[in-house]
Amino acid sequence: FKAYTGISGAELGAAIDEAHRLGVKVTAHLCSVGYQEAVALGIDNVEHGLFANSEYAPNKRPDECPPGFRDSYPDLDVSSPEVQRTFRDMIDAGVAMTSTLAVYELSVPNRPPLEDRVLDMMAPAAREEYLQTRNEIASRDESPMAILFPKAQAFEKAFFDAGGLLAAGVDPTGMGGALPGYGDQRNYELLLEAGFTPEQVIQIMTLNGARVLGEDHRFGSIEAGKLADLVVINGDPVQRESEIRNVTLVFKEGVGYDSPKLIESVKGLVGLR
């Protein structure tokens, strides 16, 4: 189950208790509840890294999502005792974090670089809205996201370096520019930009996701006896990161799918259905 921003601590705690009674995990895009509070309530995973953690805001009050709470975060020190306490609580309780950098990059002026392949996939109305929103963001005199975004990258790297379980995914909401699949490929590049090694990023995007789900005994790494969920790439993204885009085949449970043909079949439809 996934909880959302306005949930109260009591509601979240009750949901977690019932979900766990049924053998189900709980994740959340938080705001009214801070990460340390959610950990104490027994949550299994938190989404979106620093962007959804309001507990460092000076005006934070219980069960309220403080407006503009990220405005003070450009000055946040990810090595501070306050942040390290969050990491320690999460790690001690086995609570994971999911990175979705590709989604929040869209709020940084003139990022990501425009790609024809992304625009080609969008339905005309979705493409027009996306480009208009990008232009509006780029026209602003100052954007805190230009400073906040690298801070969020550093937050995730510091969590990982402290021993935290970091996964990554794409959330096709917001401005609509982080498309499923393509957004995951962009996450690879953004995590490299954050200072992770290619091998670390690959593990974050594969095995660690399976670990978050408690399914790493079934999939997430290439081992005998596991489900054959594989992506075949024509290139070497470890040496040349942009080649992460060159997917030729996707195997799901041992069945191979022609990636270029699948992409061609939905051109101009993303955002429509």
Side-chain angles (χ1 to χ4, degrees):
F1 290 103
K2 181 177 180 179
Y4 199 51
T5 55
I7 195 168
S8 71
E11 292 165 341
L12 180 60
I16 291 170
D17 289 345
E18 181 65 8
H20 287 177
R21 187 183 70 81
L22 297 170
V24 177
K25 290 179 178 289
V26 178
T27 187
H29 176 163
L30 294 170
C31 185
S32 53
V33 176
Y35 282 10
Q36 290 182 62
E37 183 183 359
V39 169
L41 292 169
I43 202 163
D44 300 291
N45 181 65
V46 291
E47 308 282 346
H48 311 304
L50 181 61
F51 295 110
N53 187 8
S54 63
E55 65 188 7
Y56 310 124
N59 59 335
K60 177 72 176 80
R61 294 191 295 185
D63 294 339
E64 290 186 10
C65 180
F69 73 89
R70 301 172 189 150
D71 292 347
S72 63
Y73 282 10
D75 297 324
L76 183 69
D77 182 359
V78 298
S79 64
S80 67
E82 188 179 20
V83 173
Q84 291 299 314
R85 191 179 309 116
T86 301
F87 294 163
R88 186 173 63 250
D89 287 354
M90 292 178 64
I91 292 164
D92 289 349
V95 177
M97 181 190 300
T98 303
S99 168
T100 58
L101 292 173
V103 176
Y104 288 91
E105 182 190 28
L106 300 171
S107 297
V108 180
N110 300 311
R111 292 185 66 165
L114 277 176
E115 292 186 75
D116 288 340
R117 67 171 194 154
V118 172
L119 299 177
D120 289 345
M121 297 303 294
M122 294 179 172
R127 181 169 60 248
E128 181 180 350
E129 183 177 359
Y130 170 62
L131 292 173
Q132 179 179 344
T133 305
R134 277 182 63 102
N135 289 335
E136 291 172 357
I137 291 172
S139 68
R140 296 170 187 166
D141 293 335
E142 295 184 7
S143 170
M145 281 297 292
I147 300 174
L148 180 57
F149 187 76
K151 183 73 66 173
Q153 289 174 300
F155 184 84
E156 294 177 6
K157 183 65 164 55
F159 173 69
F160 180 90
D161 289 344
L165 179 59
L166 182 69
V170 63
D171 188 348
T173 55
M175 286 171 56
L179 306 187
Y182 287 180
D184 292 293
Q185 293 166 353
R186 182 59 179 162
N187 278 337
Y188 176 78
E189 297 170 326
L190 292 172
L191 287 167
L192 291 176
E193 182 181 287
F196 293 90
T197 68
E199 293 81 4
Q200 288 172 335
V201 180
I202 290 169
Q203 180 170 311
I204 287 167
M205 296 180 65
T206 56
L207 182 58
N208 283 8
R211 286 172 173 160
V212 171
L213 297 173
E215 296 284 357
D216 50 300
H217 63 290
R218 298 179 61 232
F219 48 74
S221 60
I222 302 173
E223 298 179 53
K226 288 192 174 182
L227 293 175
D229 290 355
L230 304 169
V231 175
V232 180
I233 293 172
N234 181 17
D236 184 355
V238 172
Q239 298 298 323
R240 297 171 294 279
E241 63 185 66
S242 64
E243 291 183 1
I244 191 74
R245 295 171 172 78
N246 300 341
V247 177
T248 60
L249 288 168
V250 176
F251 285 91
K252 174 64 175 172
E253 298 184 4
V255 179
Y257 298 87
D258 187 312
S259 182
K261 285 184 179 179
L262 288 175
I263 289 171
E264 187 64 32
S265 72
V266 293
K267 271 189 175 180
L269 296 178
V270 176
L272 180 63
R273 62 178 175 85

PDB file of all heavy atoms in Angstrom, residues 35-36 39-40 55-56 78-95 97 155 158-165:
ATOM      1  N   TYR A  35      10.024  11.509   8.150  1.00  0.00           N
ATOM      2  CA  TYR A  35      10.596  10.176   7.975  1.00  0.00           C
ATOM      3  C   TYR A  35      10.843   9.471   9.302  1.00  0.00           C
ATOM      4  O   TYR A  35      10.547   8.279   9.446  1.00  0.00           O
ATOM      5  CB  TYR A  35      11.902  10.260   7.177  1.00  0.00           C
ATOM      6  CG  TYR A  35      11.699  10.425   5.686  1.00  0.00           C
ATOM      7  CD1 TYR A  35      10.453  10.698   5.142  1.00  0.00           C
ATOM      8  CD2 TYR A  35      12.775  10.316   4.810  1.00  0.00           C
ATOM      9  CE1 TYR A  35      10.279  10.858   3.785  1.00  0.00           C
ATOM     10  CE2 TYR A  35      12.608  10.474   3.437  1.00  0.00           C
ATOM     11  CZ  TYR A  35      11.361  10.749   2.933  1.00  0.00           C
ATOM     12  OH  TYR A  35      11.188  10.897   1.585  1.00  0.00           O
ATOM     13  N   GLN A  36      11.401  10.172  10.278  1.00  0.00           N
ATOM     14  CA  GLN A  36      11.671   9.521  11.557  1.00  0.00           C
ATOM     15  C   GLN A  36      10.383   9.055  12.220  1.00  0.00           C
ATOM     16  O   GLN A  36      10.341   7.970  12.818  1.00  0.00           O
ATOM     17  CB  GLN A  36      12.446  10.471  12.475  1.00  0.00           C
ATOM     18  CG  GLN A  36      13.869  10.732  12.029  1.00  0.00           C
ATOM     19  CD  GLN A  36      14.618  11.633  12.983  1.00  0.00           C
ATOM     20  OE1 GLN A  36      14.812  11.294  14.147  1.00  0.00           O
ATOM     21  NE2 GLN A  36      15.028  12.803  12.495  1.00  0.00           N
ATOM     22  N   VAL A  39       9.195   5.959  10.405  1.00  0.00           N
ATOM     23  CA  VAL A  39      10.010   4.800  10.786  1.00  0.00           C
ATOM     24  C   VAL A  39       9.525   4.244  12.119  1.00  0.00           C
ATOM     25  O   VAL A  39       9.375   3.028  12.297  1.00  0.00           O
ATOM     26  CB  VAL A  39      11.498   5.184  10.865  1.00  0.00           C
ATOM     27  CG1 VAL A  39      12.311   4.073  11.526  1.00  0.00           C
ATOM     28  CG2 VAL A  39      12.044   5.487   9.475  1.00  0.00           C
ATOM     29  N   ALA A  40       9.271   5.133  13.066  1.00  0.00           N
ATOM     30  CA  ALA A  40       8.793   4.703  14.379  1.00  0.00           C
ATOM     31  C   ALA A  40       7.441   3.999  14.284  1.00  0.00           C
ATOM     32  O   ALA A  40       7.131   3.112  15.094  1.00  0.00           O
ATOM     33  CB  ALA A  40       8.705   5.900  15.320  1.00  0.00           C
ATOM     34  N   GLU A  55      10.564  16.912   7.693  1.00  0.00           N
ATOM     35  CA  GLU A  55      10.904  16.986   9.118  1.00  0.00           C
ATOM     36  C   GLU A  55      11.989  18.015   9.433  1.00  0.00           C
ATOM     37  O   GLU A  55      12.176  18.374  10.596  1.00  0.00           O
ATOM     38  CB  GLU A  55      11.313  15.614   9.650  1.00  0.00           C
ATOM     39  CG  GLU A  55      12.586  15.043   9.068  1.00  0.00           C
ATOM     40  CD  GLU A  55      12.798  13.598   9.502  1.00  0.00           C
ATOM     41  OE1 GLU A  55      11.893  13.018  10.142  1.00  0.00           O
ATOM     42  OE2 GLU A  55      13.852  13.039   9.184  1.00  0.00           O
ATOM     43  N   TYR A  56      12.709  18.518   8.432  1.00  0.00           N
ATOM     44  CA  TYR A  56      13.744  19.521   8.677  1.00  0.00           C
ATOM     45  C   TYR A  56      13.219  20.947   8.559  1.00  0.00           C
ATOM     46  O   TYR A  56      13.971  21.902   8.756  1.00  0.00           O
ATOM     47  CB  TYR A  56      14.906  19.326   7.708  1.00  0.00           C
ATOM     48  CG  TYR A  56      15.412  17.905   7.648  1.00  0.00           C
ATOM     49  CD1 TYR A  56      15.466  17.223   6.429  1.00  0.00           C
ATOM     50  CD2 TYR A  56      15.816  17.233   8.791  1.00  0.00           C
ATOM     51  CE1 TYR A  56      15.922  15.915   6.358  1.00  0.00           C
ATOM     52  CE2 TYR A  56      16.270  15.918   8.730  1.00  0.00           C
ATOM     53  CZ  TYR A  56      16.321  15.268   7.512  1.00  0.00           C
ATOM     54  OH  TYR A  56      16.755  13.961   7.442  1.00  0.00           O
ATOM     55  N   VAL A  78      23.759  17.627   4.664  1.00  0.00           N
ATOM     56  CA  VAL A  78      23.392  16.213   4.712  1.00  0.00           C
ATOM     57  C   VAL A  78      24.288  15.418   5.662  1.00  0.00           C
ATOM     58  O   VAL A  78      23.981  14.269   5.982  1.00  0.00           O
ATOM     59  CB  VAL A  78      23.417  15.570   3.304  1.00  0.00           C
ATOM     60  CG1 VAL A  78      22.401  16.236   2.393  1.00  0.00           C
ATOM     61  CG2 VAL A  78      24.810  15.610   2.706  1.00  0.00           C
ATOM     62  N   SER A  79      25.384  16.018   6.111  1.00  0.00           N
ATOM     63  CA  SER A  79      26.244  15.354   7.089  1.00  0.00           C
ATOM     64  C   SER A  79      25.940  15.797   8.512  1.00  0.00           C
ATOM     65  O   SER A  79      26.618  15.371   9.457  1.00  0.00           O
ATOM     66  CB  SER A  79      27.716  15.634   6.770  1.00  0.00           C
ATOM     67  OG  SER A  79      28.011  17.022   6.887  1.00  0.00           O
ATOM     68  N   SER A  80      24.909  16.626   8.683  1.00  0.00           N
ATOM     69  CA  SER A  80      24.563  17.136  10.012  1.00  0.00           C
ATOM     70  C   SER A  80      24.017  16.027  10.894  1.00  0.00           C
ATOM     71  O   SER A  80      23.492  15.020  10.403  1.00  0.00           O
ATOM     72  CB  SER A  80      23.517  18.247   9.891  1.00  0.00           C
ATOM     73  OG  SER A  80      22.287  17.721   9.419  1.00  0.00           O
ATOM     74  N   PRO A  81      24.110  16.183  12.225  1.00  0.00           N
ATOM     75  CA  PRO A  81      23.549  15.167  13.135  1.00  0.00           C
ATOM     76  C   PRO A  81      22.063  14.929  12.900  1.00  0.00           C
ATOM     77  O   PRO A  81      21.586  13.799  13.034  1.00  0.00           O
ATOM     78  CB  PRO A  81      23.814  15.773  14.519  1.00  0.00           C
ATOM     79  CG  PRO A  81      24.991  16.676  14.333  1.00  0.00           C
ATOM     80  CD  PRO A  81      24.838  17.249  12.960  1.00  0.00           C
ATOM     81  N   GLU A  82      21.339  15.973  12.531  1.00  0.00           N
ATOM     82  CA  GLU A  82      19.899  15.853  12.299  1.00  0.00           C
ATOM     83  C   GLU A  82      19.605  14.895  11.148  1.00  0.00           C
ATOM     84  O   GLU A  82      18.758  13.992  11.261  1.00  0.00           O
ATOM     85  CB  GLU A  82      19.324  17.239  11.991  1.00  0.00           C
ATOM     86  CG  GLU A  82      17.817  17.298  11.908  1.00  0.00           C
ATOM     87  CD  GLU A  82      17.327  18.704  11.635  1.00  0.00           C
ATOM     88  OE1 GLU A  82      18.121  19.538  11.136  1.00  0.00           O
ATOM     89  OE2 GLU A  82      16.153  18.972  11.923  1.00  0.00           O
ATOM     90  N   VAL A  83      20.298  15.072  10.036  1.00  0.00           N
ATOM     91  CA  VAL A  83      20.080  14.204   8.880  1.00  0.00           C
ATOM     92  C   VAL A  83      20.629  12.803   9.147  1.00  0.00           C
ATOM     93  O   VAL A  83      19.993  11.794   8.812  1.00  0.00           O
ATOM     94  CB  VAL A  83      20.734  14.816   7.622  1.00  0.00           C
ATOM     95  CG1 VAL A  83      20.654  13.829   6.449  1.00  0.00           C
ATOM     96  CG2 VAL A  83      20.057  16.132   7.256  1.00  0.00           C
ATOM     97  N   GLN A  84      21.780  12.731   9.752  1.00  0.00           N
ATOM     98  CA  GLN A  84      22.363  11.430  10.042  1.00  0.00           C
ATOM     99  C   GLN A  84      21.490  10.630  11.009  1.00  0.00           C
ATOM    100  O   GLN A  84      21.451   9.393  10.945  1.00  0.00           O
ATOM    101  CB  GLN A  84      23.772  11.607  10.621  1.00  0.00           C
ATOM    102  CG  GLN A  84      24.787  12.142   9.613  1.00  0.00           C
ATOM    103  CD  GLN A  84      24.973  11.235   8.415  1.00  0.00           C
ATOM    104  OE1 GLN A  84      25.113  10.017   8.556  1.00  0.00           O
ATOM    105  NE2 GLN A  84      24.972  11.815   7.223  1.00  0.00           N
ATOM    106  N   ARG A  85      20.775  11.314  11.891  1.00  0.00           N
ATOM    107  CA  ARG A  85      19.840  10.626  12.791  1.00  0.00           C
ATOM    108  C   ARG A  85      18.700   9.986  11.993  1.00  0.00           C
ATOM    109  O   ARG A  85      18.277   8.862  12.286  1.00  0.00           O
ATOM    110  CB  ARG A  85      19.277  11.612  13.815  1.00  0.00           C
ATOM    111  CG  ARG A  85      18.507  10.939  14.959  1.00  0.00           C
ATOM    112  CD  ARG A  85      18.007  11.975  15.957  1.00  0.00           C
ATOM    113  NE  ARG A  85      19.079  12.864  16.396  1.00  0.00           N
ATOM    114  CZ  ARG A  85      19.119  14.170  16.154  1.00  0.00           C
ATOM    115  NH1 ARG A  85      18.145  14.758  15.456  1.00  0.00           N
ATOM    116  NH2 ARG A  85      20.124  14.909  16.579  1.00  0.00           N
ATOM    117  N   THR A  86      18.224  10.695  10.979  1.00  0.00           N
ATOM    118  CA  THR A  86      17.198  10.117  10.096  1.00  0.00           C
ATOM    119  C   THR A  86      17.721   8.844   9.449  1.00  0.00           C
ATOM    120  O   THR A  86      17.043   7.808   9.440  1.00  0.00           O
ATOM    121  CB  THR A  86      16.802  11.118   8.996  1.00  0.00           C
ATOM    122  OG1 THR A  86      16.307  12.312   9.589  1.00  0.00           O
ATOM    123  CG2 THR A  86      15.728  10.526   8.088  1.00  0.00           C
ATOM    124  N   PHE A  87      18.931   8.928   8.905  1.00  0.00           N
ATOM    125  CA  PHE A  87      19.515   7.756   8.245  1.00  0.00           C
ATOM    126  C   PHE A  87      19.684   6.603   9.225  1.00  0.00           C
ATOM    127  O   PHE A  87      19.372   5.452   8.900  1.00  0.00           O
ATOM    128  CB  PHE A  87      20.870   8.118   7.640  1.00  0.00           C
ATOM    129  CG  PHE A  87      20.814   9.118   6.515  1.00  0.00           C
ATOM    130  CD1 PHE A  87      21.973   9.788   6.117  1.00  0.00           C
ATOM    131  CD2 PHE A  87      19.637   9.403   5.857  1.00  0.00           C
ATOM    132  CE1 PHE A  87      21.944  10.701   5.078  1.00  0.00           C
ATOM    133  CE2 PHE A  87      19.589  10.318   4.822  1.00  0.00           C
ATOM    134  CZ  PHE A  87      20.750  10.974   4.431  1.00  0.00           C
ATOM    135  N   ARG A  88      20.182   6.903  10.414  1.00  0.00           N
ATOM    136  CA  ARG A  88      20.423   5.843  11.389  1.00  0.00           C
ATOM    137  C   ARG A  88      19.117   5.152  11.781  1.00  0.00           C
ATOM    138  O   ARG A  88      19.061   3.916  11.876  1.00  0.00           O
ATOM    139  CB  ARG A  88      21.105   6.427  12.630  1.00  0.00           C
ATOM    140  CG  ARG A  88      21.522   5.362  13.654  1.00  0.00           C
ATOM    141  CD  ARG A  88      22.335   5.954  14.773  1.00  0.00           C
ATOM    142  NE  ARG A  88      21.575   6.937  15.554  1.00  0.00           N
ATOM    143  CZ  ARG A  88      21.805   8.251  15.539  1.00  0.00           C
ATOM    144  NH1 ARG A  88      22.775   8.750  14.771  1.00  0.00           N
ATOM    145  NH2 ARG A  88      21.076   9.072  16.266  1.00  0.00           N
ATOM    146  N   ASP A  89      18.056   5.945  11.996  1.00  0.00           N
ATOM    147  CA  ASP A  89      16.762   5.356  12.348  1.00  0.00           C
ATOM    148  C   ASP A  89      16.258   4.451  11.228  1.00  0.00           C
ATOM    149  O   ASP A  89      15.750   3.351  11.473  1.00  0.00           O
ATOM    150  CB  ASP A  89      15.740   6.446  12.627  1.00  0.00           C
ATOM    151  CG  ASP A  89      15.969   7.158  13.948  1.00  0.00           C
ATOM    152  OD1 ASP A  89      16.874   6.724  14.710  1.00  0.00           O
ATOM    153  OD2 ASP A  89      15.256   8.148  14.234  1.00  0.00           O
ATOM    154  N   MET A  90      16.378   4.921   9.977  1.00  0.00           N
ATOM    155  CA  MET A  90      15.906   4.138   8.845  1.00  0.00           C
ATOM    156  C   MET A  90      16.702   2.844   8.698  1.00  0.00           C
ATOM    157  O   MET A  90      16.132   1.759   8.522  1.00  0.00           O
ATOM    158  CB  MET A  90      16.004   4.964   7.553  1.00  0.00           C
ATOM    159  CG  MET A  90      15.049   6.135   7.488  1.00  0.00           C
ATOM    160  SD  MET A  90      15.232   7.120   5.969  1.00  0.00           S
ATOM    161  CE  MET A  90      14.748   5.921   4.724  1.00  0.00           C
ATOM    162  N   ILE A  91      18.015   2.952   8.786  1.00  0.00           N
ATOM    163  CA  ILE A  91      18.863   1.784   8.580  1.00  0.00           C
ATOM    164  C   ILE A  91      18.662   0.768   9.695  1.00  0.00           C
ATOM    165  O   ILE A  91      18.546  -0.440   9.442  1.00  0.00           O
ATOM    166  CB  ILE A  91      20.339   2.231   8.484  1.00  0.00           C
ATOM    167  CG1 ILE A  91      20.550   3.044   7.204  1.00  0.00           C
ATOM    168  CG2 ILE A  91      21.272   1.017   8.499  1.00  0.00           C
ATOM    169  CD1 ILE A  91      21.834   3.849   7.186  1.00  0.00           C
ATOM    170  N   ASP A  92      18.581   1.247  10.947  1.00  0.00           N
ATOM    171  CA  ASP A  92      18.381   0.334  12.073  1.00  0.00           C
ATOM    172  C   ASP A  92      17.058  -0.414  11.970  1.00  0.00           C
ATOM    173  O   ASP A  92      16.948  -1.571  12.392  1.00  0.00           O
ATOM    174  CB  ASP A  92      18.430   1.101  13.399  1.00  0.00           C
ATOM    175  CG  ASP A  92      19.835   1.581  13.750  1.00  0.00           C
ATOM    176  OD1 ASP A  92      20.799   1.142  13.088  1.00  0.00           O
ATOM    177  OD2 ASP A  92      19.960   2.410  14.673  1.00  0.00           O
ATOM    178  N   ALA A  93      16.047   0.247  11.377  1.00  0.00           N
ATOM    179  CA  ALA A  93      14.718  -0.373  11.255  1.00  0.00           C
ATOM    180  C   ALA A  93      14.531  -1.097   9.927  1.00  0.00           C
ATOM    181  O   ALA A  93      13.467  -1.680   9.684  1.00  0.00           O
ATOM    182  CB  ALA A  93      13.635   0.698  11.411  1.00  0.00           C
ATOM    183  N   GLY A  94      15.529  -1.048   9.047  1.00  0.00           N
ATOM    184  CA  GLY A  94      15.415  -1.706   7.749  1.00  0.00           C
ATOM    185  C   GLY A  94      14.467  -1.008   6.798  1.00  0.00           C
ATOM    186  O   GLY A  94      13.851  -1.652   5.941  1.00  0.00           O
ATOM    187  N   VAL A  95      14.351   0.302   6.923  1.00  0.00           N
ATOM    188  CA  VAL A  95      13.454   1.074   6.057  1.00  0.00           C
ATOM    189  C   VAL A  95      14.238   1.570   4.844  1.00  0.00           C
ATOM    190  O   VAL A  95      15.280   2.223   4.984  1.00  0.00           O
ATOM    191  CB  VAL A  95      12.842   2.266   6.810  1.00  0.00           C
ATOM    192  CG1 VAL A  95      11.970   3.106   5.878  1.00  0.00           C
ATOM    193  CG2 VAL A  95      12.019   1.764   7.994  1.00  0.00           C
ATOM    194  N   MET A  97      14.619   3.532   0.930  1.00  0.00           N
ATOM    195  CA  MET A  97      14.254   4.796   0.288  1.00  0.00           C
ATOM    196  C   MET A  97      14.264   4.597  -1.226  1.00  0.00           C
ATOM    197  O   MET A  97      15.150   3.935  -1.752  1.00  0.00           O
ATOM    198  CB  MET A  97      15.254   5.894   0.675  1.00  0.00           C
ATOM    199  CG  MET A  97      14.946   7.270   0.086  1.00  0.00           C
ATOM    200  SD  MET A  97      16.317   8.456   0.336  1.00  0.00           S
ATOM    201  CE  MET A  97      16.420   8.492   2.123  1.00  0.00           C
ATOM    202  N   PHE A 155      21.747  13.957  -0.666  1.00  0.00           N
ATOM    203  CA  PHE A 155      20.997  13.303   0.406  1.00  0.00           C
ATOM    204  C   PHE A 155      20.909  11.794   0.153  1.00  0.00           C
ATOM    205  O   PHE A 155      21.150  10.976   1.050  1.00  0.00           O
ATOM    206  CB  PHE A 155      19.600  13.924   0.483  1.00  0.00           C
ATOM    207  CG  PHE A 155      18.724  13.422   1.600  1.00  0.00           C
ATOM    208  CD1 PHE A 155      18.825  13.959   2.874  1.00  0.00           C
ATOM    209  CD2 PHE A 155      17.763  12.448   1.352  1.00  0.00           C
ATOM    210  CE1 PHE A 155      17.988  13.515   3.897  1.00  0.00           C
ATOM    211  CE2 PHE A 155      16.928  11.998   2.369  1.00  0.00           C
ATOM    212  CZ  PHE A 155      17.038  12.531   3.647  1.00  0.00           C
ATOM    213  N   ALA A 158      24.368  10.206   0.505  1.00  0.00           N
ATOM    214  CA  ALA A 158      24.759  10.092   1.908  1.00  0.00           C
ATOM    215  C   ALA A 158      24.011   8.956   2.601  1.00  0.00           C
ATOM    216  O   ALA A 158      24.587   8.240   3.435  1.00  0.00           O
ATOM    217  CB  ALA A 158      24.491  11.421   2.622  1.00  0.00           C
ATOM    218  N   PHE A 159      22.745   8.776   2.259  1.00  0.00           N
ATOM    219  CA  PHE A 159      21.967   7.660   2.815  1.00  0.00           C
ATOM    220  C   PHE A 159      22.582   6.329   2.396  1.00  0.00           C
ATOM    221  O   PHE A 159      22.768   5.419   3.219  1.00  0.00           O
ATOM    222  CB  PHE A 159      20.522   7.762   2.336  1.00  0.00           C
ATOM    223  CG  PHE A 159      19.651   6.590   2.702  1.00  0.00           C
ATOM    224  CD1 PHE A 159      19.289   6.357   4.009  1.00  0.00           C
ATOM    225  CD2 PHE A 159      19.191   5.717   1.718  1.00  0.00           C
ATOM    226  CE1 PHE A 159      18.479   5.274   4.350  1.00  0.00           C
ATOM    227  CE2 PHE A 159      18.380   4.633   2.045  1.00  0.00           C
ATOM    228  CZ  PHE A 159      18.026   4.409   3.364  1.00  0.00           C
ATOM    229  N   PHE A 160      22.909   6.209   1.138  1.00  0.00           N
ATOM    230  CA  PHE A 160      23.525   4.986   0.616  1.00  0.00           C
ATOM    231  C   PHE A 160      24.879   4.739   1.283  1.00  0.00           C
ATOM    232  O   PHE A 160      25.179   3.623   1.711  1.00  0.00           O
ATOM    233  CB  PHE A 160      23.680   5.111  -0.898  1.00  0.00           C
ATOM    234  CG  PHE A 160      24.306   3.928  -1.571  1.00  0.00           C
ATOM    235  CD1 PHE A 160      23.529   2.877  -2.039  1.00  0.00           C
ATOM    236  CD2 PHE A 160      25.681   3.869  -1.761  1.00  0.00           C
ATOM    237  CE1 PHE A 160      24.100   1.782  -2.670  1.00  0.00           C
ATOM    238  CE2 PHE A 160      26.271   2.784  -2.396  1.00  0.00           C
ATOM    239  CZ  PHE A 160      25.487   1.741  -2.849  1.00  0.00           C
ATOM    240  N   ASP A 161      25.690   5.776   1.387  1.00  0.00           N
ATOM    241  CA  ASP A 161      27.015   5.638   1.979  1.00  0.00           C
ATOM    242  C   ASP A 161      26.943   5.260   3.455  1.00  0.00           C
ATOM    243  O   ASP A 161      27.868   4.631   3.986  1.00  0.00           O
ATOM    244  CB  ASP A 161      27.813   6.932   1.818  1.00  0.00           C
ATOM    245  CG  ASP A 161      28.242   7.184   0.379  1.00  0.00           C
ATOM    246  OD1 ASP A 161      28.190   6.241  -0.438  1.00  0.00           O
ATOM    247  OD2 ASP A 161      28.633   8.332   0.067  1.00  0.00           O
ATOM    248  N   ALA A 162      25.855   5.651   4.109  1.00  0.00           N
ATOM    249  CA  ALA A 162      25.676   5.309   5.523  1.00  0.00           C
ATOM    250  C   ALA A 162      25.231   3.851   5.716  1.00  0.00           C
ATOM    251  O   ALA A 162      25.163   3.373   6.843  1.00  0.00           O
ATOM    252  CB  ALA A 162      24.659   6.248   6.167  1.00  0.00           C
ATOM    253  N   GLY A 163      24.930   3.188   4.597  1.00  0.00           N
ATOM    254  CA  GLY A 163      24.493   1.795   4.662  1.00  0.00           C
ATOM    255  C   GLY A 163      23.023   1.586   4.371  1.00  0.00           C
ATOM    256  O   GLY A 163      22.498   0.484   4.565  1.00  0.00           O
ATOM    257  N   GLY A 164      22.341   2.635   3.881  1.00  0.00           N
ATOM    258  CA  GLY A 164      20.915   2.537   3.600  1.00  0.00           C
ATOM    259  C   GLY A 164      20.612   1.788   2.321  1.00  0.00           C
ATOM    260  O   GLY A 164      21.421   1.755   1.388  1.00  0.00           O
ATOM    261  N   LEU A 165      19.432   1.195   2.278  1.00  0.00           N
ATOM    262  CA  LEU A 165      18.961   0.473   1.087  1.00  0.00           C
ATOM    263  C   LEU A 165      18.233   1.466   0.178  1.00  0.00           C
ATOM    264  O   LEU A 165      17.136   1.922   0.490  1.00  0.00           O
ATOM    265  CB  LEU A 165      18.022  -0.661   1.491  1.00  0.00           C
ATOM    266  CG  LEU A 165      17.424  -1.483   0.345  1.00  0.00           C
ATOM    267  CD1 LEU A 165      18.507  -2.131  -0.509  1.00  0.00           C
ATOM    268  CD2 LEU A 165      16.453  -2.542   0.887  1.00  0.00           C
TER     269      LEU A 165
END
